[in-house]
Amino acid sequence: MAKYLLLKHYRGAPAAVNDVPMEKWAPEEITAHLRYMDDFAAKLEETGEYVGGQALSPEGMWVRYDGEGRPPVTDGPFAETKDLIAGWMIIDVDTHERAVELAGELSAAPGAGGQPIHEWLELRPFLPESPLTTECPDR
Amino acid sequence: MPGPLNEVLLRSLTPQVLTVLVRRGADFATAEDAVQDALVEAVRVWPADPPRDPKGWLVTVAWRRFLDATRSDAARRRREVRIDEEPAPGPAPQADDTLQLYFLCAHPSLTPSSAVALTLRAVGGLTTRQIAGAYLVPEATMAQRISRAKRTVSGVRFDSPGDVATVLRVLYLVFNEGYSGDVDLAAEAIRLTRQLAGAIDHPEVAGLLALMLLHHARRSARTAPDGGLVPLAEQDRALWDTGAIAEGVEILQRALARDRLGEFQAQAAIAALHADAPSAEETDWVQIVEWYDELARLTDSPVVRLNRAVSVGEADGPRAGLAALAALDDTLPRHTAVAAYFHERDGDLTTAARLYAEAAATAPNRAERDHLTRQAARLNAGRAR
């Protein structure tokens, strides 16, 4: 019963094994890929492990406070180093092993040539607010 | 006015009503839905028109709902034959045989999170929304988890006795989930364990109940008003709930007298030694080390081994604590935090500050991370001055 964030990256992650940009896939390969992702989410809804998920636009900006009475600073000379996140999904699973298993399954989504893209996904556990109540009686 | 009293009564009747329906031949999943419907109906009707026999009322309404739900079912005829043979709904038997429900809801075929959800729903009488809120997942997700769990156990024979240890593990999980959401899961776990202890005579059930009471008693002292963690030594002991401590100690003593030690009794004994100490300095750490040795014999938990090292350090000084730590795998959770603490006590503030910062980076939750970060900052600020 721990929550994990599965992150898909536009870039910043190591290249996928089957690394062909999506615009070079056949249309039906894109359809198959998107269906796989939808089916994956639906399956997790069915198992009661799905918490939420959303795709993110590749467009985004950096914003920073620039001092009292001044408008926030947006973007900088570093736009191309932004580690853009393509989308995320939150799952709630019994064990860390299960989280790894599901991330592996999502990474097997079909890509060019109908082959799994072997995409690298980032898997991050959520920090719960408070400690376990009894794991340590000296508390 | 429905009031808190009615809700407590309703929730305590839930497992009993469910048991009656299943005993009459209803399948578990449909019966559980019917009982939930009856509870909703009770909340609506009772304030204006309270029944004389609440349990009988719930059984009658739930049974009617069950019949409605199964009327169009292909198995209708077979069921009706069976129903004809059953006694008419009336005053329900008073014998509490809801014990089977605990076993069913903790059945080994369920994953831990499913067993927890089903227990809270079927035995605890919580709504799906309340359970989802407590676990911070969408209501639809929790509804799926519960309905899958119900389907999983629907084929399980209701009268086969289960494993008490499995039930206790589920209740322990509920207790540990703590205090998020608008349902107090720790209090709910205590209520369910108390109910179980009333139905079954088992030293480990008593041990778990004692453990929960002793921990719960210290709850309000464990966090500062800003939500920060207050370590045991700094807790305001006046905030501890002495009533709960006395009850926990008494339950534990009766359990220990039966000489069938288990891990929950041993953990409760440690908690009782902390609760008994008038101050942190007067804690009987030597006896706590002995209990950790017992606990290590009963379980091979890395947490136990680490906690034992903590108590060795408290009993025999920081050097002894560091030596005990050195014998353990340093990738254990909290290993670094404990090492930092003993280095500080030993006067090596530079190492302590570095280790506190390191421990903060791998802390398993926010409260501990913030606490450890503050410890590191405190030492760094002290040295800079």
Side-chain angles (χ1 to χ4, degrees):
Chain A
M1 285 171 288
K3 292 187 186 65
Y4 287 83
L5 177 64
L6 283 167
L7 281 179
K8 284 174 84 74
H9 291 261
Y10 280 120
R11 53 176 181 262
V17 171
N18 184 9
D19 188 20
V20 180
M22 224 166 167
E23 66 271 15
K24 296 195 176 142
W25 298 4
E28 56 278 12
E29 287 166 359
I30 293 175
T31 306
H33 179 78
L34 297 176
R35 165 146 337 121
Y36 185 95
M37 312 263 286
D38 286 346
D39 289 351
F40 181 77
K43 192 189 75 173
L44 292 189
E45 274 175 48
E46 166 80 4
T47 58
E49 292 174 309
Y50 184 81
V51 178
Q54 205 92 63
L56 288 173
S57 159
E59 302 301 321
M61 56 168 59
W62 293 85
V63 179
R64 198 202 70 191
Y65 173 66
D66 199 37
E68 192 66 49
R70 299 162 64 99
V73 175
T74 59
D75 260 320
F78 40 74
E80 51 284 347
T81 63
K82 260 183 288 194
D83 184 11
L84 292 174
I85 293 161
W88 53 268
M89 183 183 286
I90 299 172
I91 55 176
D92 185 30
V93 292
D94 276 314
T95 60
H96 176 72
E97 289 69 31
R98 175 66 177 158
V100 172
E101 180 188 329
L102 289 176
E105 192 178 327
L106 187 57
S107 165
Q115 295 303 305
I117 49 178
H118 297 272
E119 172 188 29
W120 287 96
L121 295 169
E122 192 179 346
L123 179 67
R124 301 269 303 273
F126 277 71
L127 277 187
E129 285 291 311
S130 43
L132 290 181
T133 317
T134 59
E135 193 186 36
C136 170
D138 316 338
R139 189 173 275 143
Chain B
M1 35 124 235
L5 181 75
N6 268 349
E7 199 193 322
V8 170
L9 172 68
L10 273 181
R11 278 159 54 183
S12 69
L13 289 175
T14 301
Q16 301 178 36
V17 174
L18 182 53
T19 309
V20 172
L21 259 64
V22 176
R23 288 233 176 284
R24 285 184 185 172
D27 72 280
F28 180 75
T30 319
E32 211 275 330
D33 288 339
V35 172
Q36 292 296 324
D37 285 349
L39 291 175
V40 170
E41 186 71 5
V43 169
R44 201 174 62 81
V45 172
W46 287 12
D49 183 17
R52 255 175 321 183
D53 173 10
K55 182 175 166 186
W57 188 98
L58 282 172
V59 168
T60 307
V61 172
W63 188 245
R64 215 176 288 140
R65 290 294 161 106
F66 168 74
L67 293 182
D68 289 346
T70 50
R71 192 149 290 154
S72 57
D73 203 288
R76 173 186 169 194
R77 291 218 168 277
R78 261 175 296 140
R79 280 212 183 80
E80 285 183 346
V81 169
R82 194 159 61 210
I83 289 155
D84 284 342
E85 293 162 358
E86 289 292 333
Q94 282 311 300
D96 183 8
D97 52 4
T98 58
L99 191 54
Q100 307 290 353
L101 261 188
Y102 279 88
F103 290 117
L104 193 68
C105 293
H107 196 267
S109 61
L110 297 168
T111 63
S113 48
S114 298
V116 161
L118 191 59
T119 300
L120 287 172
R121 165 84 179 241
V123 185
L126 297 184
T127 63
T128 304
R129 179 193 294 272
Q130 286 173 313
I131 304 170
Y135 286 92
L136 303 172
V137 299
E139 197 176 344
T141 294
M142 190 50 78
Q144 281 294 352
R145 206 178 278 180
I146 291 171
S147 69
R148 277 174 71 94
K150 283 194 285 189
R151 261 180 280 140
T152 304
V153 297
S154 266
V156 175
R157 276 189 47 171
F158 196 65
D159 54 356
S160 55
D163 179 8
V164 179
T166 317
V167 176
L168 295 183
R169 220 166 14 248
V170 169
L171 294 172
Y172 189 58
L173 282 176
V174 173
F175 184 75
N176 264 322
E177 200 55 41
Y179 322 126
S180 58
D182 60 343
V183 181
D184 183 343
L185 285 182
E188 183 63 16
I190 289 175
R191 187 178 74 82
L192 296 182
T193 309
R194 201 189 282 284
Q195 195 176 292
L196 180 67
I200 187 174
D201 185 24
H202 191 293
E204 273 292 86
V205 178
L208 179 60
L209 179 57
L211 176 65
M212 288 176 176
L213 287 167
L214 288 164
H215 267 288
H216 206 57
R218 301 207 298 259
R219 167 177 174 174
S220 51
R222 263 199 302 263
T223 37
D226 66 357
L229 209 74
V230 183
L232 182 62
E234 291 160 29
Q235 285 172 21
D236 176 1
R237 292 174 187 233
L239 294 176
W240 290 1
D241 177 349
T242 48
I245 291 174
E247 191 193 356
V249 168
E250 199 206 318
I251 292 170
L252 173 67
Q253 279 169 342
R254 261 185 283 135
L256 289 175
R258 298 176 56 186
D259 209 21
R260 276 167 59 204
L261 189 64
E263 56 175 306
F264 289 124
Q265 293 170 78
Q267 278 200 57
I270 294 164
L273 285 168
H274 286 301
D276 264 354
S279 70
E281 296 74 39
E282 290 165 90
T283 305
D284 188 348
W285 286 103
V286 173
Q287 221 192 121
I288 289 177
V289 174
E290 286 167 12
W291 277 111
Y292 272 120
D293 288 337
E294 288 283 358
L295 203 47
R297 266 192 286 279
L298 293 164
T299 69
D300 190 31
S301 151
V303 175
V304 168
R305 273 177 274 147
L306 191 77
N307 288 345
R308 185 187 170 279
V310 173
S311 41
V312 166
E314 296 289 0
D316 300 334
R319 294 279 168 91
L322 287 169
L325 265 188
L328 302 177
D329 179 355
D330 63 4
T331 61
L332 284 177
R334 299 194 181 86
H335 189 285
T336 311
V338 174
Y341 171 68
F342 284 139
H343 277 293
E344 181 184 356
R345 293 254 323 266
D346 196 36
D348 183 355
L349 303 190
T350 311
T351 307
R354 178 177 56 77
L355 290 176
Y356 274 130
E358 226 175 84
T362 54
N365 57 67
R366 257 192 61 186
E368 278 176 51
R369 184 192 63 191
D370 297 349
H371 175 72
L372 292 165
T373 307
R374 259 187 224 110
Q375 298 293 81
R378 175 177 56 81
L379 293 186
N380 285 330
R383 282 183 306 139
R385 226 171 270 137

